[in-house]
Amino acid sequence: MKKRFSKILLLPLVLIGIFIGTVSFKSDFFEIAKQIEIFTTLFKEINMNYVDETNPAALMDTAIKSMLTDLDPYTNYWNEQDVEAARINSAGEYTGIGALVKTGPEAITVVEAYKDYPADKAGLKAGDEIIKIGNINVADFKEDAGELLNGAPDSNINITYRRQGEIKTTSLKRSSVDLNAVPFYKLLDDNSGYIVLSRFNAKASSEVSRALKDLKNQGANKIILDLRGNPGGLLNEAINVSNIFIDQGELIVTTKSVIEKYNREYFTKKEPIDTKIPLVVLVDGRSASASEIVAGAVQDLDRGVIVGARSFGKGLVQRPRELAYGTQLKITISRYYTPSGRCIQALDYRRRSKDGKALRTKVEDYNEFKTKNGRTVYDGGGVLPDVKLETSEFSDITQSLLYQDAIFDFATNYYYTHTLENTENFSFTDADFSEFKNFLEDSNFKYQTATERELNEMMDKAEDEELRSKISAEVNKIKSQISDFKKQELDDKRPEIVSLLTDEIIKRYFYKEGLYEYYTDNNPEISKAKDILNSPAEYSKILK
């Protein structure tokens, strides 16, 4: 049996060199060096002596990823493909088919086909499952099969996909894909300028600036900045976007770390475009990171009103560190704090529950802070809006619906069973909601409440203590009540669920552009933002 362990030892030896060069200040350096030596000898012994042929690369990959799971989900090892994907995401440009996809073990699911790009022109739709790319079956490809969709400009690609159980084929020509940070902006009927900022890539601030100037030229005298669903991106672009509305020299965000050199304060550096125009910023549970920096700065400096739901709470700062062979370690180095001193981070990965999940700060443990005008705001993770709307909320059951793709899958079925000519008279009706609940009954959707989890843990302990048989009847009654509660919860959380269903359905027929157009006349958050902006007294009252 031929073993190739000499090359395998290179990474640990390189790591030893990195540690010697960069962490000599650590008091536990000897312990670090000791553990690396133990790992090196163990890894060598496994690859030399294990009964079956081993795959050194796969073993190392597993070891690295298992080690990182003890930290936070944002500290990641990036192979060469991951590094390239990060570069594309930051730049907003790449060559491919022009679609957002999700890779699974058996197929690549099209999440969204961008309008007028190759995937759209070839007829691919959201919900299509790509099972073959050229002559390669996705199920047989061990790496990230999504990479097969990218390639040289104007190169041809044949795709086999499954749609509603039917196998189809298509061919397309790859092209350059340019992802706009601002995919939509419009002057509304009340002279409010509506700007959607969907990502903080390298073009974010320039595109927001251009949109704002154009809207002001059209007559806009108030602005709605929509950060809902924006997962964040580049820190410097968050500063620059804030700077558009905030004076030069203002503190926007602070990073704090146990390592002193990572403690920094970030201030606005440029002349703003407009510091007086009334401003409403929309956020929800999917507004994260850079979005929260902007929303937090606007709120703490009393520059505008925040509307929607508490943001995601992603306040951990990552920095890429170069490793060997073009790989990188994206490592968390510090935490974000808003100008008032609030920590954005919601989950504490240093404290975990019995099942290993990071703990969220309890409401009773929130700390009080003051904005520039003396308003009281609280930490606890994310940015809590000044005006909360239930249509923006993401409750536990809604999170489960999103995580298990129940809303996405229902929208796919809806698209192929309903005709929608335009959005003017569209509304998600009572009959539609009943259809959705029936869909959940027939699907594999599972939702477990916190009470259920605790009840199951209790029954496990009862088994150990030989009490299970004595309390099982009562527990079954409680489970029956919980089941009734869960059915009722769908109705109780209907506003937020219907909001997400509406979004997904409109996109299927009229793309993202059609959804944003629909928003301008029908979205509750935008309607509330307009009400606030059109009432100077209310706007001023919220901020003072």
Side-chain angles (χ1 to χ4, degrees):
M1 184 186 303
K2 184 178 180 182
K3 301 292 183 177
R4 296 173 296 163
F5 63 88
S6 58
K7 292 183 179 180
I8 300 162
L9 293 178
L10 180 59
L11 180 56
L13 291 174
V14 170
L15 288 174
I16 291 174
I18 292 173
F19 275 117
I20 291 173
T22 62
V23 301
S24 58
F25 63 89
K26 296 265 189 181
S27 60
D28 57 353
F29 171 73
F30 173 76
E31 185 64 23
I32 294 173
K34 171 185 171 183
Q35 296 304 322
I36 291 176
E37 185 176 357
I38 291 172
F39 177 80
T40 302
T41 53
L42 178 146
F43 195 65
K44 179 180 71 173
E45 291 299 326
I46 288 174
N47 283 280
M48 289 182 65
N49 299 309
Y50 187 68
V51 62
D52 294 322
E53 184 74 29
T54 58
N55 183 327
L59 281 176
M60 181 61 77
D61 194 61
T62 300
I64 292 172
K65 290 178 179 178
S66 297
M67 175 176 63
L68 296 182
T69 56
D70 277 349
L71 303 176
D72 62 72
Y74 311 111
T75 296
N76 295 313
Y77 168 70
W78 282 355
N79 58 30
E80 294 164 286
Q81 290 76 26
D82 296 329
V83 172
E84 177 62 15
R87 186 197 65 77
I88 289 170
N89 187 53
S90 296
E93 299 178 4
Y94 70 99
T95 300
I97 68 170
L100 177 64
V101 299
K102 181 175 69 174
T103 303
E106 303 294 329
I108 300 170
T109 302
V110 177
V111 177
E112 179 186 355
Y114 303 137
K115 186 178 181 180
D116 294 331
Y117 279 107
D120 179 42
K121 292 178 180 178
L124 290 175
K125 303 286 185 183
D128 288 346
E129 298 175 311
I130 299 173
I131 56 178
K132 193 174 182 179
I133 302 170
N135 295 320
I136 300 175
N137 292 314
V138 172
D140 297 335
F141 197 74
K142 301 306 179 185
E143 306 297 329
D144 181 3
E147 293 297 324
L148 297 173
L149 297 174
N150 299 329
D154 297 325
S155 58
N156 293 313
I157 179 174
N158 296 317
I159 290 175
T160 303
Y161 61 98
R162 182 169 49 242
R163 174 183 293 171
Q164 299 288 283
E166 184 180 351
I167 304 300
K168 295 176 174 288
T169 60
T170 189
S171 60
L172 52 81
K173 183 179 291 186
R174 297 181 181 96
S175 72
S176 176
V177 179
D178 188 3
L179 300 177
N180 291 325
V182 177
F184 183 89
Y185 68 91
K186 181 181 180 181
L187 180 68
L188 306 185
D189 54 10
D190 67 337
N191 286 332
S192 293
Y194 174 58
I195 303 173
V196 178
L197 178 56
S198 62
R199 54 176 55 83
F200 283 85
N201 61 22
K203 301 181 291 183
S205 59
S206 62
E207 290 188 14
V208 173
S209 296
R210 186 162 56 248
L212 177 60
K213 290 175 182 177
D214 189 15
L215 288 168
K216 290 183 68 175
N217 288 335
Q218 295 179 48
N221 53 23
K222 40 196 175 293
I223 293 295
I224 302 169
L225 179 63
D226 194 343
L227 298 180
R228 290 174 297 174
N230 186 322
L234 300 175
L235 171 60
N236 66 304
E237 284 301 294
I239 310 299
N240 292 337
V241 169
S242 302
N243 199 169
I244 293 169
F245 303 100
I246 293 172
D247 279 321
Q248 185 178 10
E250 288 281 3
L251 176 66
I252 299 299
V253 68
T254 301
T255 60
K256 297 181 182 179
S257 172
V258 295
I259 303 172
E260 188 174 349
K261 69 177 181 178
Y262 295 140
N263 294 336
R264 291 193 60 185
E265 292 180 326
Y266 294 87
F267 296 85
T268 49
K269 296 181 178 180
K270 304 175 182 178
E271 285 295 326
I273 293 177
D274 195 328
T275 63
K276 301 298 182 183
I277 191 167
L279 173 67
V280 168
V281 178
L282 305 182
V283 297
D284 64 13
R286 289 186 288 186
S287 306
S289 190
S291 295
E292 297 173 292
I293 290 174
V294 173
V298 167
Q299 187 177 57
D300 283 2
L301 298 174
D302 298 300
R303 176 58 188 88
V305 175
I306 312 300
V307 172
R310 184 183 280 278
S311 59
F312 182 80
K314 196 275 186 183
L316 297 177
V317 186
Q318 286 74 48
R319 176 174 293 181
R321 305 288 293 182
E322 299 290 339
L323 301 177
Y325 299 106
T327 63
Q328 289 184 4
L329 172 66
K330 183 168 71 76
I331 184 171
T332 298
I333 59 169
S334 54
R335 290 179 175 81
Y336 287 128
Y337 293 80
T338 68
S340 69
R342 291 180 291 165
C343 182
I344 293 174
Q345 180 62 23
L347 296 177
D348 187 350
Y349 293 98
R350 297 165 296 182
R351 300 187 303 116
R352 296 179 181 263
S353 62
K354 292 181 180 179
D355 57 0
K357 293 183 178 179
L359 297 177
R360 182 178 290 271
T361 305
K362 296 179 181 178
V363 175
E364 56 267 28
D365 295 329
Y366 287 179
N367 298 300
E368 183 178 304
F369 297 82
K370 296 294 183 181
T371 69
K372 193 173 185 178
N373 288 344
R375 294 189 298 140
T376 299
V377 289
Y378 298 91
D379 61 5
V383 175
L384 186 67
D386 302 306
V387 179
K388 294 186 289 183
L389 295 182
E390 61 180 353
T391 48
S392 296
E393 295 286 346
F394 283 2
S395 62
D396 287 346
I397 191 167
T398 301
Q399 294 280 19
S400 294
L401 290 168
L402 289 169
Y403 181 75
Q404 298 179 48
D405 290 329
I407 289 174
F408 180 85
D409 292 340
F410 178 79
T412 300
N413 287 351
Y414 188 99
Y415 177 78
Y416 291 108
T417 55
H418 295 72
T419 300
L420 187 61
E421 298 296 336
N422 56 64
T423 63
E424 291 180 7
N425 299 314
F426 175 78
S427 65
F428 199 79
T429 65
D430 291 344
D432 291 331
F433 196 67
S434 295
E435 186 181 339
F436 175 66
K437 290 194 288 187
N438 291 334
F439 172 82
L440 295 181
E441 289 282 347
D442 296 336
S443 69
N444 294 321
F445 175 68
K446 303 292 182 184
Y447 167 56
Q448 190 178 57
T449 66
T451 303
E452 277 182 297
R453 289 192 291 271
E454 292 179 7
L455 196 62
N456 290 333
E457 289 177 8
M458 183 192 74
M459 289 300 287
D460 290 339
K461 292 179 181 177
E463 181 80 46
D464 296 337
E465 298 172 359
E466 299 181 355
L467 289 173
R468 189 182 184 102
S469 60
K470 297 178 182 180
I471 63 174
S472 60
E474 294 299 322
V475 169
N476 288 336
K477 289 181 183 178
I478 296 173
K479 286 185 175 181
S480 177
Q481 292 173 327
I482 291 174
S483 179
D484 292 339
F485 166 79
K486 288 198 293 187
K487 291 178 181 178
Q488 182 60 41
E489 194 172 12
L490 277 171
D491 291 318
D492 292 342
K493 302 301 181 182
R494 176 171 172 166
E496 61 191 74
I497 296 171
V498 167
S499 179
L500 291 168
L501 284 165
T502 299
D503 289 359
E504 196 62 50
I505 288 169
I506 293 292
K507 278 194 302 183
R508 299 306 173 94
Y509 294 91
F510 306 107
Y511 304 91
K512 269 279 183 68
E513 294 82 356
L515 174 61
Y516 297 135
E517 192 69 52
Y518 177 81
Y519 275 171
T520 60
D521 292 321
N522 300 278
N523 185 254
E525 287 77 13
I526 293 177
S527 296
K528 185 62 179 178
K530 290 168 67 176
D531 289 343
I532 294 170
L533 290 170
N534 288 317
S535 174
E538 183 181 2
Y539 182 83
S540 179
K541 181 181 178 181
I542 292 171
L543 294 180
K544 293 182 179 179

